[in-house]
Amino acid sequence: MMPPSTARRLCFLSLLLLLLLLAAAASATADAAAAEEFTEELLLRPLPDRKALAHFHFRSSAPPASAAGRHHHLFPKAISQLVQKFHISELELSFTQGRWNYEQWGGYDPMSTNNAKPPGVELWAIFDLPLAEIDATWKNLTHTLSGLFCASINFLESSTAFSAPRWGFKLNEGNLRYGALPREAVCTENLTPWLKLLPCRDKAGIASLLYRPSVYKGYYHSQKLKLKSSQSLGIILDQTLTVVLQPNTVSGKQLHSTGGQLQPSWSMEHLFSKKLSGKCLVSKSSRVFVEIEKGIVDNVDKAGSDVSSNNDLFVLSTAPDRSLKELDNLEVQSSSLYEYDVNNYNSDKPLNVGITWKLPLIWSCTRAPYHASRFLMGSGNERGSIAMSFLSTGLDKQLVDSSNDCSIKAVVFQVVPWYVKVYYHSLEVFIDGNSKAISEVVDKIHVTPSEDKLLPGTMEMLLKFPCSMQLATLTLDFDKGFLHIDEYPPDANQGFDIPSALVSFPEFNSSRSYPEADPLFVSPLLENFKEDGVVKSYTEVLLVPLTTPDFSMPYNVITFTCTVLALYFGSLLNALRRRIGEEERGLKKAGILNKRGLIPLLIAKLRGQKVDPSESESTSPASLPRSKLLLKVVFVAVVAIVFHYLSNS
Amino acid sequence: MEPSAKVDTQPKPRLIVRLGIFLASHHILFSALCCSAGIIALLFLPSLAKNTYLSENALIPGSANPLFSSEDVTEANKFIKGIEAAAGESRGGMEMSKFIVQQMKDLGAEVCYHEFLPHSKHFHPLKFFTSMTNDLAVRPNGTYSNSGTNTIGIIRAPRGDGKEAIVLVTPYNPQRVQANEVLSLALGFSVFSLLSRAAWLSKDIVWLSADSQFGEYTAVSAWLNQYHNPMFVGGVKHEPDGIAEKAEFTDFKRAGTMAAALIFKVGETRNYGDRDSVTMYAEASNGQMPNLDLLNVVHYLAVHRQGFRVNIETISSLLSSAWLRAIAEVIHTLGSILRKINPDWKLDITASDYVEGTANLASSIYNQALGVPTGSHGAFRDYQVDAVSLEFSPTFYIRNENAKSSFLVRGGRSVLTGLLQA
């Protein structure tokens, strides 16, 4: 038996142990909280065609899974579960409405290369799995995402909808899957689940600016989710929303005219009908940037004043906390950024950044070396061709000295659904009006031909254009296929979509670096700008009219077939059951065989045949009941007509 | 007994065979019978036809607010003044298209020129089944005066994905400018300017002002050919012409797949009737017709919303023929008798309506049987694009300013609402 004192001591010890354990656990969670980070940033930029661009960037990061356990403070649990379950090492999902205008809004900056997306939904993912399991995992992933984001991403499940590019989209070892749904309509039901992943949702911080009517009134809006996960870094989730808005200060009349008029002045309140009243409290940093493009900076320099927040051309409504200058490889300043720290503002002193123009200004964005566009040729429901044209924008002349053997590389990646049966051997290349041999232009090509109802056709091409080229056109012929009646989508008469092709120029890099003295200044937005930025542009979505059946046809066919079957069955049964020989014998015995029907008698009369006297004997007694029958019929008809007339009047 | 039974049973064929033999032996009688039955049915058709049938596709026509306002009319009047000045400046016609391009550019549209050569009218028996693509793209050196120039403006739908486009066509002749053509250009311009401000567009809008000095059809079909079957060999490099700005706009610009096309022009002043009228033409080559919803919607809107009188082409000799009037009377009385039996049978139509309906029907049958398109909409139908031509015929003298304005308002509204439904 144990003495009571020892029992008490034991009790005390265990209590102490428990306390210690609790303290350890608390410190562990505190460590995890320190490692889980959230930052929010917003970038505003005036565009040359009197519009304004707003780019929201939210980054949540979680430490490697083993350290944190299963619980998170800031990081969305849904995403971490998704990453763990499907072994994703990279994923990008974008919802886009409208087209990015590569001519006006730029095609050679990090914004256009990373955030300009094709209309509809685009999803790609790299899996950290053996190759054999990837397709099955992809299918599960599409279903999960479709539930998470309230979108029909699950249509990417079918093997006809996704492809596995090797190098045309992004260099990989066969563990990348890519799918696009160009027809998916994007609206607020997709934005709400996206906002749910943020720790403050849209209740506080920069996300509170997302006033739905102004976001969806915009000319372009693209909402993106990008995931990166690795054993060493943990999970990094970047959520971006890019919108192009028309400042509502101008009346409709001024909407387009560019010459000699002042650019519209705008502020946050104009764009979003709201001011920014403080940051999301759990965020590590919360910043707003205003970016001034190189075109404007050059103009300011020309005007002879310093590029500050208040110069001869424009004035920013609030003085910035800091200004950053981008340096390109020639150490020449190209664009400048003005930074505002939201920490310094609160609901009493809200932040309302705006720009007011003093002088009319016309500038243009830097464009990609070639303007790529794609169109359909031919007419009719049988065949057609896809053409892709590359029109030089004149950029190459500035960058590359035009020696004779210089060339510019372009990579084309295109997925075509199976019912558009592309004949890849029919590829033709025309440069400046001359037909060229394919080997002269195409450096490398990788084609996965489509298989009916199984695989889409995928084409990856590395092209080499001479620097002096003005216009190149590639054409590919195709046949239009037939679909099963079940496979037609709603409104099939409108046509079928071919998703956008991606054109990238690997020799041109749009990344921007902002040399900064302060090592503590860390901005994920600017980090993203610094990352690899191969110039990319998406082409238009194409609409192919296919033969569509009259959708009432199946019912007609069913009715018709049933009628024919019934007739056939009836007559067959009749023929099988009757014994003609026996019947005739029986009739002859009864002596009625000679009696003919009404129709043969009529025919005989019409032909002028004389009716046999023997037959006329038999007809005369029969004529009396026949006239009686006629009378009956007439009587019934008259009664019916009278009844009808009386009942109506 | 035995042989007689054989005679009875053996030569008697089946009933259906006997009927066939009977029909064959009286084929003249039967064909005459069927033919007359067909004609009688055809004569009954105008009285059997429902007034305007609208299918569900067209949802609720005219539910949109007419946005076309007097402001647009002042714009259009300014445009008329400008284009008349431009037309007065030069005889070559280049000034006019330059003026139109400038106006389109100010609206924020993408602009391009399209040069074409008149389609040779020669019949090539060997080329009959192949499409003639070569003869339009190649331009012999030095013959600038011989080519026509179409002017094309494209509005990109702000939030659309650019897959589809609607085409507006206004034909005009830059060599010999007439008041009604200027008015139709102004109508096109005002509609275009209104649409360029619309943020709700889902389809791109293409305005083609077709150079009709070689005929409307030639201009439109040349443009359509370039749009659908471009040639990449030769003809791409243009030497800089006399006009500097022109080189900038020679790149052929495209919108997506064409969904529908509307050709509208203002016709000569007509003095009959008390209302402005719209004449519709729809018959394309080989008797093809566009989607009838398009016709019905245009008809419905023009009549019920804008108070236009809608004409469809008629054979005028039928309108005054005595025998048709007599048939009309007969059908009218027959219809009224039938109506007494059952009021639901609305077969009686007035004699004048009947005569007009029959004349329309006859004209349509004639045009479809002839297989020659009745206007430039035929060129669209060759590429499976639904198209309809509208010819507005004002009742006023074309130089009258006030009347012009009110006409523009109504014309613009009717075109617009028609477009929205297309």
Side-chain angles (χ1 to χ4, degrees):
Chain A
M1 220 182 139
M2 211 183 271
S5 60
T6 41
R8 209 178 298 141
R9 206 177 302 154
L10 249 174
C11 195
F12 177 75
L13 260 174
S14 61
L15 220 135
L16 207 83
L17 256 170
L18 206 104
L19 265 171
L20 265 171
L21 264 174
L22 267 174
S27 67
T29 47
D31 279 351
E36 265 182 32
E37 273 174 15
F38 172 73
T39 55
E40 48 175 15
E41 279 156 307
L42 165 67
L43 182 126
L44 297 166
R45 180 208 280 180
L47 292 173
D49 60 343
R50 313 176 69 82
K51 298 188 180 74
L53 177 127
H55 175 71
F56 294 82
H57 184 273
F58 306 97
R59 170 175 285 187
S60 318
S61 57
S66 55
R70 283 195 290 142
H71 299 289
H72 297 280
H73 284 262
L74 297 173
F75 197 81
K77 192 171 180 180
I79 297 295
S80 71
Q81 283 177 338
L82 189 91
V83 170
Q84 276 163 22
K85 180 140 197 260
F86 300 115
H87 303 273
I88 294 161
S89 63
E90 247 181 285
L91 177 143
E92 188 179 294
L93 170 68
S94 68
F95 297 86
T96 311
Q97 190 185 47
R99 290 164 279 179
W100 181 266
N101 189 338
Y102 286 97
E103 303 277 295
Q104 298 272 2
W105 305 339
Y108 195 9
D109 55 341
M111 195 61 75
S112 65
T113 55
N114 290 327
N115 295 307
K117 288 280 160 194
V121 167
E122 191 200 52
L123 172 70
W124 61 266
I126 300 180
F127 297 92
D128 187 17
L129 277 172
L131 293 186
E133 292 171 32
I134 287 179
D135 279 351
T137 317
W138 166 269
K139 286 176 188 181
N140 289 332
L141 174 70
T142 55
H143 278 273
T144 313
L145 285 175
S146 127
L148 260 180
F149 288 99
C150 260
S152 32
I153 305 172
N154 55 331
F155 284 110
L156 289 175
E157 172 207 34
S158 126
S159 65
T160 55
F162 68 88
S163 60
R166 295 305 294 266
W167 47 269
F169 181 73
K170 197 178 167 76
L171 200 62
N172 66 86
E173 294 131 21
N175 51 0
L176 185 144
R177 294 292 178 274
Y178 172 94
L181 295 169
R183 198 169 280 199
E184 180 76 9
V186 182
C187 202
T188 146
E189 81 263 21
N190 305 117
L191 185 67
T192 313
W194 183 86
L195 282 172
K196 253 184 176 171
L197 302 177
L198 302 175
C200 296
R201 302 205 177 179
D202 57 343
K203 303 290 182 235
I206 287 176
S208 66
L209 287 177
L210 288 171
Y211 179 60
R212 305 301 192 290
S214 58
V215 168
Y216 289 100
K217 241 195 294 184
Y219 279 51
Y220 171 85
H221 102 99
S222 169
Q223 142 198 353
K224 198 175 78 169
L225 177 122
K226 194 170 177 179
L227 264 181
K228 251 185 202 170
S229 133
S230 64
Q231 287 298 328
S232 53
L233 287 171
I235 313 169
I236 294 173
L237 168 71
D238 278 332
Q239 285 174 267
T240 60
L241 179 78
T242 313
V243 277
V244 174
L245 301 171
Q246 178 78 56
N248 55 6
T249 47
V250 282
S251 70
K253 277 272 162 278
Q254 287 174 303
L255 207 69
H256 292 298
S257 33
T258 43
Q261 278 186 43
L262 218 55
Q263 291 271 336
S265 302
W266 47 260
S267 69
M268 267 183 189
E269 200 181 359
H270 278 129
L271 296 178
F272 304 108
S273 317
K274 267 178 196 169
K275 289 176 189 169
L276 188 56
S277 54
K279 66 170 201 170
C280 169
L281 284 175
V282 293
S283 66
K284 193 182 157 220
S285 70
S286 175
R287 295 194 185 93
V288 175
F289 297 97
V290 175
E291 190 185 17
I292 299 297
E293 274 291 293
K294 186 174 185 293
I296 307 175
V297 172
D298 287 349
N299 267 304
V300 174
D301 282 342
K302 230 181 277 169
S305 70
D306 188 33
V307 189
S308 62
S309 61
N310 186 359
N311 56 39
D312 288 352
L313 288 177
F314 64 87
V315 57
L316 296 180
S317 62
T318 318
D321 298 330
R322 192 201 301 251
S323 81
L324 300 163
K325 295 186 167 80
E326 186 220 337
L327 293 179
D328 61 12
N329 27 9
L330 297 170
E331 297 290 310
V332 179
Q333 190 205 334
S334 45
S335 70
S336 50
L337 272 180
Y338 300 99
E339 190 222 320
Y340 299 85
D341 197 344
V342 187
N343 255 331
N344 306 338
Y345 299 89
N346 51 39
S347 52
D348 297 329
K349 196 182 111 187
L351 176 64
N352 184 21
V353 187
I355 189 166
T356 311
W357 298 93
K358 292 176 177 172
L359 288 173
L361 181 63
I362 296 171
W363 80 96
S364 60
C365 288
T366 41
R367 295 190 276 176
Y370 294 106
H371 176 67
S373 69
R374 198 173 58 153
F375 53 90
L376 285 175
M377 305 195 307
S379 63
N381 282 330
E382 201 183 349
R383 57 178 74 95
S385 347
I386 302 175
M388 196 181 259
S389 77
F390 296 86
L391 183 68
S392 169
T393 51
L395 180 85
D396 47 332
K397 292 205 176 48
Q398 300 157 22
L399 293 180
V400 194
D401 47 294
S402 44
S403 53
N404 263 345
D405 54 344
C406 106
S407 63
I408 295 174
K409 280 183 185 160
V411 179
V412 178
F413 165 60
Q414 172 168 293
V415 181
V416 179
W418 67 264
Y419 40 78
V420 175
K421 295 169 180 165
V422 178
Y423 295 118
Y424 292 97
H425 70 272
S426 67
L427 177 70
E428 280 183 279
V429 184
F430 302 92
I431 289 184
D432 288 337
N434 301 311
S435 179
K436 286 274 155 107
I438 291 169
S439 54
E440 268 181 67
V441 179
V442 179
D443 234 23
K444 190 171 152 193
I445 185 165
H446 178 238
V447 167
T448 318
S450 61
E451 248 173 86
D452 278 8
K453 308 186 184 193
L454 213 62
L455 267 184
T458 314
M459 184 175 73
E460 295 159 85
M461 250 193 313
L462 175 63
L463 305 168
K464 217 163 68 183
F465 296 127
C467 291
S468 56
M469 180 195 84
Q470 278 302 309
L471 174 73
T473 316
L474 286 97
T475 62
L476 277 169
D477 294 345
F478 64 82
D479 266 2
K480 298 180 181 180
F482 293 102
L483 276 81
H484 189 258
I485 187 103
D486 299 339
E487 290 162 349
Y488 284 96
D491 197 11
N493 287 310
Q494 196 201 0
F496 289 76
D497 295 321
I498 301 182
S500 297
L502 176 69
V503 180
S504 45
F505 303 97
E507 289 163 343
F508 294 85
N509 200 318
S510 69
S511 62
R512 284 183 181 180
S513 58
Y514 297 88
E516 181 53 49
D518 188 1
L520 286 174
F521 179 79
V522 182
S523 160
L525 180 81
L526 300 185
E527 264 172 37
N528 271 9
F529 277 15
K530 216 185 285 179
E531 274 172 20
D532 103 287
V534 172
V535 173
K536 291 181 213 159
S537 63
Y538 283 92
T539 62
E540 297 91 341
V541 177
L542 295 179
L543 187 74
V544 188
L546 287 189
T547 33
T548 47
D550 174 3
F551 288 102
S552 67
M553 190 177 71
Y555 308 103
N556 298 342
V557 169
I558 290 167
T559 331
F560 189 72
T561 326
C562 287
T563 317
V564 168
L565 268 180
L567 281 176
Y568 172 73
F569 183 74
S571 54
L572 192 72
L573 197 70
N574 193 13
L576 285 175
R577 267 199 72 238
R578 270 172 82 173
R579 294 176 185 163
I580 297 169
E582 267 180 36
E583 271 180 29
E584 278 181 358
R585 237 172 289 139
L587 283 174
K588 219 183 287 167
K589 229 174 258 173
I592 331 166
L593 191 68
N594 285 341
K595 191 179 161 187
R596 288 214 211 157
L598 184 66
I599 296 171
L601 208 75
L602 265 174
I603 293 167
K605 260 188 188 164
L606 272 169
R607 282 194 169 173
Q609 276 175 3
K610 246 195 169 173
V611 183
D612 284 0
S614 58
E615 287 172 57
S616 65
E617 278 168 35
S618 59
T619 45
S620 49
S623 64
L624 199 67
R626 210 168 290 146
S627 60
K628 255 185 192 167
L629 189 77
L630 206 71
L631 263 173
K632 272 181 202 165
V633 168
V634 168
F635 176 72
V636 169
V638 167
V639 166
I641 288 171
V642 167
F643 176 75
H644 193 82
Y645 185 68
L646 286 176
S647 66
N648 273 319
S649 55
Chain B
M1 199 63 199
E2 277 294 307
S4 71
K6 262 223 172 109
V7 168
D8 272 346
T9 49
Q10 204 63 22
K12 187 176 156 195
R14 311 231 9 211
L15 179 64
I16 189 100
V17 180
R18 273 180 289 156
L19 270 174
I21 291 166
F22 180 64
L23 280 181
S25 58
H26 298 275
H27 60 278
I28 298 171
L29 179 73
F30 276 106
S31 42
L33 211 69
C34 288
C35 192
S36 50
I39 290 169
I40 288 167
L42 203 62
L43 287 173
F44 263 109
L45 199 58
S47 62
L48 287 170
K50 297 278 181 297
N51 196 5
T52 304
Y53 167 73
L54 282 179
S55 128
E56 262 178 282
N57 282 349
L59 293 176
I60 321 150
S63 60
N65 279 333
L67 295 161
F68 204 82
S69 63
S70 55
E71 211 174 311
D72 298 292
V73 173
T74 41
E75 286 273 299
N77 276 330
K78 234 189 277 171
F79 179 86
I80 291 177
K81 295 235 166 63
I83 205 158
E84 274 169 353
E89 245 173 63
S90 78
R91 294 277 83 197
M94 218 44 235
E95 291 299 318
M96 264 177 93
S97 53
K98 259 167 83 181
F99 177 78
I100 297 172
V101 159
Q102 193 51 50
Q103 294 289 321
M104 285 181 187
K105 256 186 87 180
D106 287 348
L107 291 175
E110 286 180 27
V111 190
C112 73
Y113 288 110
H114 168 238
E115 267 185 52
F116 65 96
L117 287 175
H119 196 80
S120 53
K121 286 258 161 67
H122 305 297
F123 177 67
H124 301 283
L126 289 177
K127 277 189 177 176
F128 188 73
F129 292 106
T130 57
S131 60
M132 301 203 218
T133 44
N134 306 20
D135 49 359
L136 292 164
V138 183
R139 159 167 97 170
N141 288 330
T143 53
Y144 294 114
S145 57
N146 239 349
S147 64
T149 308
N150 290 330
T151 319
I152 297 114
I154 302 171
I155 302 172
R156 305 275 177 204
R159 277 169 234 161
D161 42 14
K163 291 186 292 194
E164 285 182 290
I166 293 177
V167 186
L168 302 175
V169 184
T170 49
Y172 75 104
N173 186 354
Q175 303 292 337
R176 199 163 42 83
V177 187
Q178 282 166 343
N180 56 350
E181 281 177 347
V182 168
L183 200 57
S184 67
L185 278 178
L187 188 60
F189 170 75
S190 50
V191 170
F192 194 68
S193 85
L194 177 58
L195 289 174
S196 74
R197 271 176 277 132
W200 36 258
L201 282 179
S202 72
K203 296 181 173 105
D204 293 353
I205 304 285
V206 181
W207 179 25
L208 168 70
S209 48
D211 182 346
S212 65
Q213 56 178 310
F214 307 110
E216 287 165 32
Y217 188 87
T218 317
V220 175
S221 83
W223 178 72
L224 281 170
N225 194 13
Q226 174 75 17
Y227 197 99
H228 287 104
N229 304 308
M231 295 290 293
F232 300 115
V233 180
V236 175
K237 269 215 168 151
H238 283 277
E239 267 79 69
D241 307 55
I243 309 118
E245 304 110 281
K246 230 187 112 177
E248 189 187 330
F249 301 125
T250 39
D251 297 320
F252 193 80
K253 292 210 172 65
R254 286 157 213 280
T257 310
M258 290 179 200
L262 202 60
I263 295 115
F264 50 93
K265 48 190 175 186
V266 179
E268 303 287 337
T269 307
R270 283 189 203 169
N271 282 325
Y272 70 83
D274 52 345
R275 283 187 290 172
D276 298 340
S277 63
V278 184
T279 316
M280 277 200 280
Y281 300 95
E283 292 89 1
S285 55
N286 298 334
Q288 296 182 80
M289 293 285 278
N291 187 351
L292 293 185
D293 282 341
L294 192 65
L295 296 186
N296 288 334
V297 167
V298 170
H299 180 272
Y300 179 88
L301 291 173
V303 172
H304 295 278
R305 295 290 162 136
Q306 304 303 332
F308 275 106
R309 182 190 156 81
V310 173
N311 291 327
I312 302 166
E313 221 187 342
T314 54
I315 291 182
S316 50
S317 63
L318 281 180
L319 287 176
S320 51
S321 70
W323 62 270
L324 194 63
R325 194 149 286 276
I327 291 173
E329 293 295 340
V330 170
I331 283 177
H332 181 62
T333 42
L334 210 65
S336 46
I337 290 167
L338 280 174
R339 188 166 201 161
K340 265 176 203 150
I341 294 172
N342 187 344
D344 289 340
W345 295 343
K346 289 172 183 155
L347 287 178
D348 53 334
I349 62 168
T350 58
S352 60
D353 277 354
Y354 178 82
V355 169
E356 204 186 322
T358 317
N360 284 339
L361 189 68
S363 147
S364 187
I365 289 173
Y366 174 75
N367 279 324
Q368 287 182 49
L370 212 59
V372 178
T374 48
S376 40
H377 53 266
F380 282 98
R381 197 58 233 172
D382 294 344
Y383 295 91
Q384 283 82 43
V385 180
D386 290 326
V388 65
S389 280
L390 300 179
E391 191 176 326
F392 296 90
S393 313
T395 48
F396 54 84
Y397 180 54
I398 268 180
R399 298 244 160 239
N400 181 346
E401 285 290 327
N402 290 333
K404 218 183 322 197
S405 303
S406 73
F407 176 73
L408 275 173
V409 171
R410 295 199 294 155
R413 276 187 185 162
S414 107
V415 168
L416 256 183
T417 32
L419 262 185
L420 297 187
Q421 307 295 336

